[in-house]
Structure formats: structure tokens, C-alpha cells
Amino acid sequence: MNDPAQERTAVRRSLERSCAVAGLQWGDEGKGKIVDLLAEGHDAVVRYNGGANAGHTVVVEGRRVALHLVPCGVLRPGTLGVIGPGVVVDPEALVAEIDALQAAGLDPSGLRVSSAAPVVMPYHIDEDQVREGLLASRRAPDVLSADAEPIGTTRRGIGPAYAEKAHRASAVRMGDLTRPGLLRKKIELAADIKNRALAPMLDPPRAYDAEALIERALALGERLAPYVCETRSLLRGALAEGRTALFEGANGALLDIDHGGHPFVTSSSTTALGIGPGTGIPTRGLGRVVGVMKAYQTRVGAGPMPTELADATGDRIRERGQEFGTTTGRPRRCGWLDLVSARHGAELNDCDAIALTMLDVLAGFDELRVCVAYRLGGRETTRFPLDAADLSRAEPVYETLPGFAEEIAGVGSFDDLPRAAREYAEVIERFVGAPVEIVSVGPDRAQTIRRDAT
Ligand code: GDP
Ligand code: IMO
Ligand code: MG
């Protein structure tokens, strides 16, 4: 299409039929399942943020697939899977994931990775560990000090890779892995800097060998070359031809680098706000944003969580929900649903609809609690504080709702849910200000209630 005005109109029309799926909590809301479900109606599934810190689980006919970098939609034949320039890519992890998919009989040939995506290098993973260790060693034993507490990162090198991108000259990008001259320049510079600033802090201290790093990077580059391209134009071209995209958010709104509970956050824009910079596609006219939230709260890693239940009720939620990290295996902290933070997440994402997941996990509780305000500094507020120091002082104000005794994992329509389960969903809709259009009652594709044709 040569006429730029016509092209822009065509792209806008396709974006109107496109959608975004993003988490409204601290990650692990069940985005993988919802993306897999909604991918059916879209031609491309696009990751725009995060990296291998994400762990998205899809269950198809009893088979469980965990994806970290590869967009969930790739599991549907014929779907284009795009890893945009906003994602930090660990090529070792990506190769391992592609191998695992192929070994499982799945075909990742529809995957494309942006040549502009920053590469997570081995020294970024080391730095992640060193920084966490340093924070742990400085932790004051008797105070919750937001600036000297380990973040509890996934140790995948995410923060240091994004920092390197901001440093610029030493940042390796995916396209550089097949450009030996440029790669050498960047890695020699990076190794020099890391050998001065990071290597002495390693345990035991050791120097980075630029030659070995270059050799490995070139080998990975060769292996990944069929997948690497300029994804912005690819995606734009597809949209201009009338194809549609689903933008798959990683992590969760409360982990957003700018709008989450700093500093206990990740290092990228985790909401639909991040789609533009993370893909190069303007999203002003994006058709729909679906916010995914689980029926209770979980958090993995450190940082305040006002509704955390460090008791038998929390243990029961963890057991019923199998709340153990997809990426790290860590037990997730569990608690009652926090509607104050969910509303914050829905505002950031400008949600059109909610996909409510894990409602089945809440069966069997006599009563259910939802947090409808925070008591902070002697006052009640429904505003989510923007830093961890304030959030750690927030006391939850609860509304108590009736529980439901029946197991609901086999229920197929909203009207067949127990009345208390329906009311629970309706309280969420009213508080968050968006309709619950999807209710998930189990990990499988089939265990999904659709209230409209989303
Ligand atoms: P994501 O990071 O948001 O994609 O979520 P994860 O995959 O890390 O964690 C969600 C977990 O819950 C996975 O093991 C899913 O298979 C599972 N799951 C998804 N939806 C449901 C549901 O409605 N009920 C139950 N019981 N499990 C679910
Ligand atoms: P998905 O996409 C849950 C958390 C980490 C840690 C903080 C920073 O599966 O929902 P990082 O390694 O990103 O520097 O860690 O963010 N975190 C997640 N928690 N789900 C995720 O992704 C997460 N990605 C990062 O536990 O607290
Ligand atoms: Mg996850």
C-alpha cells in the first residue's frame, strides 16, 4: 500500500478489531489461559514488555505448556507470534523454549523477534543476583525499609538488561547477534565496564572474557536468525492488510515500573500503556482491553501486600489454587481480593472488560472478604499509593460477602453459578467499573464461562 493516508486508515481499522490482555494484580492472574483463549480470533499475538521473568501457563486437552518469552498465541497454528522491541530477550532462554516446544510436538515457526529487542547477557543475570545479595546483606533486621530490602526478583537479569538499554552504547540488541563487527564493539565495551564495576563483586570474583561472550552470542545469533526481523514494519504491514493483533501483557499492573508500588516492581511498563513504545504501533484506537484478575490476591517476591493472609486461610487458598511460581517455583503469598489495587490496574489499562480467573479456588469458604478501601494515616482512601513505603502502612478495610459451598469447576454458564459466586463477580464489576465478561473456573480452555462474544 503506497498511499500513507490510506495505509494509516487501514491500520486504524484493524486496531479497532484488535485487543490487549493485561494483568490487574501482581502477575500470575491467568493471562496465559485468557490470551490462548482470545488468540483464536486474532492473526498475531504480540509481547511488548518484560522478558523471561514471565511465566504464562496454557493447558490444552490436559497438556500443560509454560511459556516465558514466546507469546501464548503461537500454540495456535497459523498465528504470528511477535516479541516486540520492548521485551528484553535472553537468547539462551529463548532457544531452550523453542527446543522444548518442538520436543513437545508444537510448531514455533510463526515466531518473530524484534531485531531491536535488548539482549539479556550473562552479566545481567549475575548483576541481578549481586544486587539482590547486596540488598539482603544491608537489610536492617527490625525495620521494613523500602530501600534496603531485596526485591525478590526472578533473577532473570531483567532490571540490569533494561538499565543497559538506557546506558545505550554497551547494549546488545537481537539484530546485533548476526553483525560480528558491531557485536564485538559492544561486548568489548560491556566486558570492560563489567570487569571494573561488577566482576569484583561476584562470588568468587571472576573476570568476563569478551572473546567467549562474543563466540557464544554469535552461535545463539545463528540459531535464532530465522526468527529475528524488524517486527514493527512486519506487524504494521499485517494490520494494513486487515489482520488483527492481540497484545499480550506480561507481569501485572501493580508491578509497573512507573505506576506500581516502587521499588518492589519490575523494570517495564506492564499495562496497555506500554504497548505503543513496546511495539512501535500507535494504540490510540485499540478496540478492547481485557484486564485479567484472579478472584483473590497473590504476590511472589517481596513488597507490601495489604490483604496478605499469613494464616490457615492463606494456606488453603495456596493449596487449592496451586499457587507456586511458574518461573521460579516459589510459593506465592496469598490473600483476599484487593479491589482498591484492581481499580488502579483497571484505570491504568483503561479496561473494557474483566476476565475473572480462579473463581473455582474460592469454593468452600463460609464467607469471602474483599478489600474496598485502605486505612492510611487515620483516613480511608480508595487511591492506590504509589510507593511501597505508603502501601506498607495501608490497612485493608473489608466488605464481607457470603461464600459458596459447591465446587464450580464444571459449571458452563454464568446463570448456573451459585448465587454467591455471581454476587461476588457483580461486586467486582461495580467496584472496578468494568463488566466481568469471562469467568474462568479451571485451568483448561474448556473451563471457561463467556458472558458475551468477546
Ligand atoms: P500468568 O502469568 O498470568 O499467565 O499466570 P500463570 O500461568 O503464572 O499462573 C496461573 C496458573 O493458574 C496456571 O497454573 C494456570 O494453569 C492456572 N489457572 C488459570 N486459570 C485458572 C482457573 O480459572 N482456575 C484454576 N484453578 N487454575 C487456573
Ligand atoms: P507473569 O507474566 C509474578 C515480580 C518478581 C519480583 C518483581 C521484580 O508470569 O505474571 P524481576 O525479575 O521482574 O526484576 O522481578 O516482579 N515478577 C512477577 N511476579 N508474575 C510475573 O510475571 C512476574 N514478573 C516479575 O517476583 O517481585
Ligand atoms: Mg505467571
Side-chain angles (χ1 to χ4, degrees), residues 23 27-35 53-59 64-67 72 248-251 292 294 296 320-327 332 356-361 409 439-444 447-448:
D28 303 325
E29 296 91 349
K31 297 177 291 295
K33 167 173 170 167
I34 302 301
V35 169
N53 53 353
H56 297 174
T57 316
V58 181
V59 180
R64 190 172 184 276
V65 185
L67 296 164
C72 288
E248 172 182 353
N251 327 126
V292 186
K294 58 175 89 176
Y296 47 92
R320 280 189 58 91
Q322 282 302 294
E323 292 293 355
F324 300 90
T326 310
T327 299
R332 297 175 183 145
L356 179 64
T357 61
M358 327 266 185
L359 190 58
D360 55 303
V361 174
V439 180
S440 171
V441 292
D444 207 275
Q447 293 172 300
T448 313

Side-chain angles (χ1 to χ4, degrees), residues 36-90:
D36 171 67
L37 205 72
L38 299 185
E40 193 175 10
H42 295 284
D43 303 297
V45 178
V46 186
R47 276 279 304 269
Y48 58 90
N49 78 299
N53 53 353
H56 297 174
T57 316
V58 181
V59 180
V60 190
E61 286 156 15
R63 202 158 58 142
R64 190 172 184 276
V65 185
L67 296 164
H68 301 283
L69 279 161
V70 173
C72 288
V74 154
L75 300 183
R76 293 199 182 259
T79 306
L80 172 69
V82 175
I83 297 180
V87 177
V88 288
V89 179
D90 178 345

Side-chain angles (χ1 to χ4, degrees), residues 345-370:
E347 275 179 20
L348 293 171
N349 279 290
D350 196 11
C351 279
D352 296 291
I354 294 171
L356 179 64
T357 61
M358 327 266 185
L359 190 58
D360 55 303
V361 174
L362 292 185
F365 288 85
D366 290 337
E367 53 185 36
L368 301 170
R369 291 175 157 208
V370 291

Side-chain angles (χ1 to χ4, degrees), residues 192-422:
D192 186 16
I193 296 169
K194 308 300 170 191
N195 279 336
R196 294 169 202 243
L198 175 63
M201 287 193 280
L202 298 176
D203 185 19
R206 71 191 141 78
Y208 292 102
D209 175 357
E211 291 308 322
L213 288 167
I214 293 166
E215 196 182 318
R216 183 68 192 144
L218 285 171
L220 290 164
E222 199 179 314
R223 174 72 210 278
L224 291 171
Y227 301 101
V228 178
C229 69
E230 203 275 88
T231 55
R232 189 195 72 85
S233 310
L234 177 76
L235 193 54
R236 196 172 171 96
L239 293 166
E241 283 169 10
R243 295 195 228 284
T244 64
L246 184 160
F247 297 93
E248 172 182 353
N251 327 126
L254 310 180
L255 291 168
D256 186 87
I257 179 80
D258 299 302
H259 308 289
H262 200 273
F264 296 99
V265 291
T266 188
S267 307
S268 68
S269 296
T270 57
T271 73
L273 292 168
I275 296 172
T279 62
I281 301 294
T283 51
R284 194 162 47 130
L286 184 63
R288 284 178 78 68
V289 179
V290 178
V292 186
M293 58 187 282
K294 58 175 89 176
Y296 47 92
Q297 211 70 16
T298 65
R299 179 159 204 179
V300 59
M305 175 177 168
T307 63
E308 182 169 12
L309 293 166
D311 60 11
T313 307
D315 292 345
R316 189 162 153 207
I317 294 175
R318 186 177 308 103
E319 282 312 311
R320 280 189 58 91
Q322 282 302 294
E323 292 293 355
F324 300 90
T326 310
T327 299
T328 58
R330 292 179 288 180
R332 297 175 183 145
R333 299 154 65 193
C334 297
W336 294 123
L337 183 61
D338 183 345
L339 287 175
V340 175
S341 63
R343 185 189 277 181
H344 176 64
E347 275 179 20
L348 293 171
N349 279 290
D350 196 11
C351 279
D352 296 291
I354 294 171
L356 179 64
T357 61
M358 327 266 185
L359 190 58
D360 55 303
V361 174
L362 292 185
F365 288 85
D366 290 337
E367 53 185 36
L368 301 170
R369 291 175 157 208
V370 291
C371 170
V372 291
Y374 293 153
R375 198 168 294 113
L376 196 56
R379 286 216 304 251
E380 277 190 19
T381 178
T382 53
R383 203 158 58 83
F384 185 75
L386 274 195
D387 76 47
D390 284 345
L391 189 61
S392 68
R393 291 187 293 109
E395 288 170 37
V397 177
Y398 286 116
E399 194 173 311
T400 302
L401 304 168
F404 48 96
E406 309 89 318
E407 293 295 343
I408 57 170
V411 174
S413 82
F414 193 78
D415 291 342
D416 291 340
L417 285 171
R419 177 208 271 256
R422 279 184 276 132

